[in-house]
Structures are given as structure tokens and as C-alpha cells.
Amino acid sequence: MWLFKRTSSYFFGFFDSILKLLGHTKSAFVITAKVVEDDVSQRYEQEVMEFGTSSPMFTILATLALLNAFCFIGRMKRLIMDMKTWVSDPFSLQILLCALLILINLPVYQGLFLRKDNGRMPSSVTTQAVMFALLACALALC
């Protein structure tokens, strides 16, 4: 979770500070009422992450998770096609780290593709994240 917080909150904090210095935004803290529904509390008891609404933070998190998955799949494809062994590959530790990050991001992947309840990622976030991740991969290939 600290990776998610760092990735999104620092970016938005920096962006908001720049806009505040330029006089384009006035940040305000508004307390909102929390509505607890039966299905939300049931997901909470099952320790399932609640995404629910569309947010730029979720778009960034989903894009980074998908980019990590695309890189892992591409590297594994290259490793299998070249018939190299794990020992001779100089990037074997990076591949293992990438696999670990995929395991950490499993709730994000479930929210993007597998879940059908109201706590899943909105389809607009999924579409934006896939497009941004594919764009990043295409730019890296150029």
C-alpha cells in the first residue's frame, strides 16, 4: 500500500502545490458522510479492496500495475523465445522482482478485470489505464 500511496499522493501533491503557487486552485478539506451498505461491509469483512468510484489516483495505480504486467509478459516471452536459461540471463533478479510486484498488485488486477460487484474499478478507469500502459509500451519500443 505504501507504494500506491507514494505513486499517487506525491504526484497529486506536487501538482496541487504548483497550481496553488500559480493561483489556479484553492484546496479545501470537506468532510463527507460515509455510507455503509451491506455489500460494502461484506467486502470489508472479506478484506477485499473497495475501488468503486472513478479517480485519477486509480488510473495511475492501474496503469502502473498493467505496465508492470506487460513488461513481465514481454520479458518472459523473450526469455522463452531465445531459449536462455535463468542462470545466464543477467536480468533474472529483475524478472523475479517484477513477478513479486505482480503478486502484490493482484487486488488491482482483480478490480480491473475479474470482479463484477460494485466495488470493482469503473470501466472508464480500466480503459484509460490500458490505453496509457499500451502507449508507454509503444513509446518504449520506438
Side-chain angles (χ1 to χ4, degrees):
M1 287 308 293
W2 63 268
L3 179 66
F4 294 155
K5 287 182 191 177
R6 276 189 165 170
T7 305
S8 57
S9 65
Y10 290 166
F11 172 73
F12 286 116
F14 173 75
F15 189 67
D16 186 52
S17 296
I18 296 297
L19 287 176
K20 190 174 184 179
L21 287 173
L22 295 174
H24 291 289
T25 185
K26 293 179 183 167
S27 298
F29 182 73
V30 178
I31 298 175
T32 58
K34 303 295 181 203
V35 177
V36 178
E37 299 172 2
D38 290 336
D39 59 341
V40 174
S41 63
Q42 183 182 10
R43 285 191 295 270
Y44 176 76
E45 289 174 7
Q46 293 174 347
E47 296 181 357
V48 176
M49 289 183 77
E50 182 76 25
F51 298 106
T53 61
S54 181
S55 170
M57 181 178 72
F58 291 150
T59 304
I60 293 172
L61 294 176
T63 301
L64 290 175
L66 287 173
L67 187 60
N68 188 42
F70 292 162
C71 291
F72 179 75
I73 291 169
R75 186 63 187 161
M76 290 303 292
K77 178 185 157 231
R78 186 178 299 168
L79 189 67
I80 291 170
M81 296 299 277
D82 292 341
M83 295 297 177
K84 290 183 179 178
T85 61
W86 283 91
V87 178
S88 66
D89 189 12
F91 298 108
S92 59
L93 289 177
Q94 283 90 354
I95 294 171
L96 292 175
L97 178 64
C98 196
L100 179 66
L101 288 174
I102 288 175
L103 287 175
I104 290 171
N105 286 321
L106 278 179
V108 176
Y109 299 130
Q110 289 173 351
L112 285 170
F113 303 115
L114 301 178
R115 289 175 50 186
K116 302 297 180 202
D117 56 6
N118 290 334
R120 70 181 186 276
M121 291 262 195
S123 59
S124 62
V125 171
T126 303
T127 305
Q128 289 174 354
V130 168
M131 296 308 271
F132 287 143
L134 289 174
L135 179 67
C137 289
L139 290 175
L141 292 176
C142 292

